[in-house]
Structures are given as C-alpha cells and as structure tokens.
C-alpha cells in the first residue's frame, strides 16, 4: 500500500512530501517532515548557500543512520519547475544536475532524502569560473577543537592580507570551513592553484598547528584541503544538516563567535531559533567578491622558489608539474629500506590493513563500516579492550579513511602500533565492525 503523503504550499507551488513521518534521526526522534520544517525555517540562509548552483544529490533514503548514495543525474520524473543544467566532469561524462533557486525546489530535493546539500562552487550561468573559494580545515584524529579554531583564524588573516574576505562556518562534522567569494574570472585549475598557495602560507605561519601535506603519513594538526577546489568536488553548504546522531548543522558564524564556539551547540533543533533571533551572519557574502590575483602571485613565488604542484586526487589526470603520486615512504631512491611484510587480514577476511601491499609499519585493522560513526564506535570498543595500548598512540597513528564502494563510500579504520612496545602490541583481531560494500554483487565470470 502506498505511503502517506503531505502536501505543502511553498513559494506558490504544491510540494508533496512522501512518508512524512518516516524517522530520519532515530536518537532525536525526528522525522522527514521535521527535516523539511527545519529547512523552511532557515530557507533564506540555506538558499544563499546553494542559489543557482548545480547540486549533487546525496540521498539518505532510510535516514541519517542508513546508507547513502550520490546521484549526479537529476531524476527523470520531476516537476516541470525543477531546473537543471548539464555539467561535464573530468572523466568526460556529462549529467543534468538540479539547480535550486527557491524554497519549493529546496524542499523537493529534501523529500528525496537529501539531508545535507552539496552544491558545486559555480553558478549555472557560468560553469567554468567558480565564484566560491572553499578552505576545508580537516583535522587529523586527536586534534582538539581549539586548535582547529586557531587555524581558522590564521586562515582568515592570510585571506585578508591577500585581498579576500573569509566567511567561517562549522562543517557539522569534525572541522571548520572558511569560504570566500570570488569575481568570476578564474578557472578551476587557477582557483585550486591559489588554494595550494594559501595552504602553504598558513602552514608557514603556523607550522605546529597546520599542514598542507596531502599524504596522511606526513600530516599533523589541521590539514588545509586545497583539493576541495578541484572541479567536480562538492562540500556541504551553509545550514546543511549533517547525518550525525545529534543532527549537527554546518552553521555560518561571525568571526567574533569563532573563539570558544562549540560544534555541538549548532543542531537541527537549535539553529532555527538562532536564525530567527540573530539572522544570517553570511548575509553579506554575495557582496564581498574579491580577486585571486594576489594569491596567484604568491603561487608564482612558490614555483620560482622550486615548489612543485601539490598532489591531486587519484581520479584526476596527472598534471604537468605534479609530483609522483606515491607515498613519500614508498619513493625510490635514497638509502635502501626493508621490504616489510603484508600484514595478516582479520579473521574471516581475505585482505588486511594494506590490501596486498607490503609495509614496514605494524598495522592492524579495526573496522570496516558503512558510516564513519559506526567505525568510530568500533574504535572506541577496541580501545576499551586495550587500555594499555592507547597511551602510546599518537594522533597520526589512528587512520580513518573514506573508501569508495559501488555508489557510495564506506569507512575503514586502521591503527599503526609503531609507538607501542613490540611485546605489548595486540595482534590482528576480528573487526569490530565488519561491513562488506560488495555484498550481493555478482561479478562476471
């Protein structure tokens, strides 16, 4: 029997909400219609973050605790008032993606199960020139929130010195985003080049707090993810609800709110009241478009000093000035290093922490999970079993990796026991969470 529908009158249009009472946040007891009401309450701010931008649909059809999948192509069955634009991706493929401009269109995609909003940094009328510069501050495990905020302020200061206005927001997860509006004059490669220069400059000023290093084995502190400015990358936009158990929101802040703020203060339950009371701190962002020329001049100085391009994500073509795409510890040349071993897999698995590759590091695998939350819960259970090991672990020793599945991602957690005395190192045990993203797939013979 078909599920119940609720019809809403929004922006002069009727929008159908299917299964409005379906639970989307089990721990909060919040439903799909509660999510819709949230977005209507903050629609002015949420639309400012997505207005006129193509959007990848990240769909949680079974709520925040369920699996999600990315849908780049707009559903073929859609109202005539849903706008689309054709995007071309680095792979050479194309897709008609949805463009949201009003609250009715916004609610229509929320009804599809889009908990957070993932727009591209371009507008539909000019897909080649981004107008949004995105600095994603991504902490390595173990970095405290205060350090992330310090790096955010350092990022603001560098942006200001190079002629751009920074706009901060919580990511709704573990980090902070700082955006800047751009004049639409530069291509994606130029914007990314400027982002690399910015990351290196923040690292130069705050070497103990921040890093521009792409390879996880080289990172410390807070990584400034310059590759979020590569073409086809999307980031959860302002006022996006994130699929966390407490329904955190990626919330725009004023700079005087940044010191001392707490990420768990901004949730689906608290942000509507904050928005009604104080308005949107990003109300002026569209009037603050600036020039990339000063940062591109800094990039030229870096290149003249011998800096190569920084590594690109693996799905992009190799660039002319890009260093080899190989972990620094695996580069050839220099003194010979031991061949290492292939770490044993967990009981019942066919491959271990490094797949079939050798390593000189004592790695064990803790979890393979459909969501990061489940993986981290598994990590906490493992720590409780091995309390004597935990004090030896440094933040980079816990590796939380987002892995690609069929049409979604999954999370793997590994632990490097290099700082644990050899006779105290736990052996590889059964995974705390054992998720198989390929279960049910029939491979060709």
């Amino acid at each position: 029997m078909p599920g119940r529908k609720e019809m809403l009158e929004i922006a002069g249009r009727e929008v159908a909400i299917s299964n409005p009472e379906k639970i989307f946040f089990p721990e909060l007891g919040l439903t799909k219609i509660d999510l819709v009401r949230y977005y209507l309450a903050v629609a002015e701010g949420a639309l400012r973050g997505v207005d006129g931008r193509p959007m990848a649909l990240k769909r949680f059809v079974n709520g925040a605790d369920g699996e999600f999948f990315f849908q780049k192509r707009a559903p073929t069955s859609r109202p005539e008032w849903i706008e689309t634009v054709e995007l071309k991706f680095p792979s050479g493929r194309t897709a008609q993606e949805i463009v949201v401009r009003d609250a009715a269109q916004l609610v229509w995609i929320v009804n599809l199960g889009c908990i957070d909003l993932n727009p591209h940094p371009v507008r539909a009328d000019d897909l080649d020139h981004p107008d949004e510069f995105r600095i994603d501050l991504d902490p390595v495990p173990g970095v405290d929130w205060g350090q992330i905020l310090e790096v955010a302020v350092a990022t603001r200061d560098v942006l200001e010195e190079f002629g751009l206005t920074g706009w901060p927001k919580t990511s709704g997860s573990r980090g902070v985003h700082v955006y800047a509006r751009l004049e639409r004059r530069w291509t994606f490669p130029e914007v990314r080049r400027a982002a690399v220069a910015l990351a290196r400059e923040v690292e130069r000023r705050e070497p103990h707090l921040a890093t521009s290093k792409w390879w996880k084995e080289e990172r410390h502190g807070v990584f400034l993810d310059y590759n979020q400015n590569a073409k086809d990358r999307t980031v959860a936009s302002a006022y996006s609800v994130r699929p966390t158990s407490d329904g955190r929101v990626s919330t725009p802040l004023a700079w005087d709110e940044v010191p001392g703020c707490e990420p768990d203060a901004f949730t689906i339950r608290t942000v509507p009241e904050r928005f009604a009371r104080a308005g949107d701190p990003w109300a002026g962002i569209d009037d603050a478009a600036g020039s990339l020329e000063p940062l591109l001049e800094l990039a030229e100085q870096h290149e003249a000093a011998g800096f190569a391009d920084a590594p690109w994500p693996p799905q992009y073509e190799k660039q002319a000035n890009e260093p080899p795409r190989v972990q620094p510890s695996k580069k050839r040349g220099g003194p010979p290093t031991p061949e290492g071993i292939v770490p044993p897999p967990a009981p019942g698995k066919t491959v271990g922490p490094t797949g079939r590759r050798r390593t000189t590091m004592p790695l064990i695998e803790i979890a393979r999970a459909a969501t990061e939350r489940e993986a981290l819960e598994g990590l906490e259970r493992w720590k409780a079993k091995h309390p004597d090991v935990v004090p030896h672990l440094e933040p980079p020793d816990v590796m939380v990796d987002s892995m690609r599945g069929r049409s979604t991602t999954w999370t793997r957690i590994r632990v490097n026991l290099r700082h644990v005395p050899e006779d105290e190192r736990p052996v590889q045990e059964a995974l705390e969470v054992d998720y198989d993203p390929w279960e049910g797939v029939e491979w060709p013979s």
Side-chain angles (χ1 to χ4, degrees), residues 46-66:
L47 288 170
R48 186 173 288 113
V50 303
D51 183 31
R53 302 183 185 280
M55 185 182 302
L57 304 180
K58 184 181 177 184
R59 298 180 61 181
F60 295 80
V61 294
N62 291 312
D65 277 4

Side-chain angles (χ1 to χ4, degrees), residues 133-140 147-148 150-156 158-159 176 178 192 194-206 209-214 219-229 310-311:
F133 192 43
R134 298 171 172 178
I135 301 97
D136 180 6
L137 305 183
D138 184 12
V140 304
Q147 182 172 335
I148 301 168
E150 287 186 70
V151 176
V153 172
T155 301
R156 175 201 62 186
V158 172
L159 285 170
V176 168
V178 182
R192 180 191 171 277
V196 172
L198 174 84
R200 288 171 171 167
E201 180 63 13
V202 174
E203 179 182 41
R204 183 186 70 81
R205 299 186 187 195
E206 302 289 350
L209 299 177
T211 181
S212 66
K213 302 295 188 295
W214 171 255
R219 290 184 196 172
H220 68 277
V222 179
F223 171 51
L224 288 92
D225 190 354
Y226 51 83
N227 274 329
Q228 293 293 10
N229 293 279

Side-chain angles (χ1 to χ4, degrees), residues 38 59 63 68 128 143 149 159 183 195 258 263 270-271 288 304 308 318 344 376-377 394 398 403 427:
Y38 161 82
R59 298 180 61 181
F68 69 87
D128 296 321
V143 169
L149 299 182
L159 285 170
E183 299 166 0
V258 170
T270 64
V271 169
K318 186 76 164 55
L376 292 172
E377 289 173 352
E394 297 183 2
V398 178
M403 313 293 289
V427 299

Side-chain angles (χ1 to χ4, degrees), residues 216-282:
K216 289 188 177 182
E217 66 184 43
E218 293 187 306
R219 290 184 196 172
H220 68 277
V222 179
F223 171 51
L224 288 92
D225 190 354
Y226 51 83
N227 274 329
Q228 293 293 10
N229 293 279
K231 189 174 183 180
D232 195 28
R233 300 301 286 264
T234 61
V235 179
S237 61
Y239 295 101
S240 282
V241 182
R242 306 308 303 278
T244 59
S245 60
D246 57 355
R248 293 190 188 185
V249 170
S250 183
T251 306
L253 304 170
W255 280 110
D256 61 7
E257 295 180 290
V258 170
C261 78
E262 294 294 339
D264 58 1
F266 308 108
T267 71
I268 188 173
R269 283 180 165 160
T270 64
V271 169
E273 185 277 331
R274 166 187 163 88
F275 190 88
R277 170 175 44 83
D280 183 7
W282 283 23

Side-chain angles (χ1 to χ4, degrees), residues 11-197:
R13 299 187 177 106
E14 276 199 339
V15 184
I17 308 300
S18 58
N19 301 310
E21 301 306 321
K22 187 172 186 176
I23 295 293
F24 261 46
F25 292 89
E27 293 190 25
L28 300 176
L30 296 180
T31 62
K32 181 195 278 191
I33 196 65
D34 291 322
L35 181 64
V36 168
R37 289 171 183 145
Y38 161 82
Y39 275 111
L40 287 174
V42 299
E44 179 187 348
L47 288 170
R48 186 173 288 113
V50 303
D51 183 31
R53 302 183 185 280
M55 185 182 302
L57 304 180
K58 184 181 177 184
R59 298 180 61 181
F60 295 80
V61 294
N62 291 312
D65 277 4
E67 295 185 36
F68 69 87
F69 61 93
F70 276 105
Q71 180 175 337
K72 292 184 177 181
R73 290 171 174 79
T76 54
S77 177
R78 59 182 186 267
E80 61 178 8
W81 41 267
I82 293 295
E83 180 182 345
T84 64
V85 67
E86 185 177 79
L87 266 69
K88 295 181 180 179
F89 304 113
S91 64
R93 297 180 179 179
T94 63
Q96 292 287 333
E97 288 201 1
I98 286 176
V99 179
V100 170
R101 298 186 189 274
D102 64 30
Q105 296 166 331
L106 174 61
V107 168
W108 189 82
I109 65 167
V110 173
N111 181 60
L112 296 178
C114 295
I115 292 177
D116 51 13
L117 312 176
N118 291 268
H120 292 269
V122 292
R123 311 275 183 168
D125 60 345
D126 185 351
L127 299 175
D128 296 321
H129 299 95
D131 72 333
E132 200 160 73
F133 192 43
R134 298 171 172 178
I135 301 97
D136 180 6
L137 305 183
D138 184 12
V140 304
V143 169
D144 64 55
W145 179 247
Q147 182 172 335
I148 301 168
L149 299 182
E150 287 186 70
V151 176
V153 172
T155 301
R156 175 201 62 186
D157 294 343
V158 172
L159 285 170
E160 286 184 353
E161 289 185 28
F162 286 84
L164 294 171
T165 302
W167 300 81
K169 68 182 177 74
T170 62
S171 71
S173 181
R174 299 187 306 126
V176 168
H177 299 153
V178 182
Y179 283 18
R181 280 289 189 267
L182 302 176
E183 299 166 0
R184 293 198 279 180
R185 296 164 46 197
W186 295 278
T187 62
F188 276 97
E190 289 171 319
V191 175
R192 180 191 171 277
R193 182 169 169 242
V196 172

Side-chain angles (χ1 to χ4, degrees), residues 382-400:
W382 180 86
K383 287 181 177 179
K385 293 178 182 177
H386 302 283
D388 295 337
V389 172
V390 174
H392 296 289
L393 300 178
E394 297 183 2
D397 294 338
V398 178
M399 294 167 282
V400 182

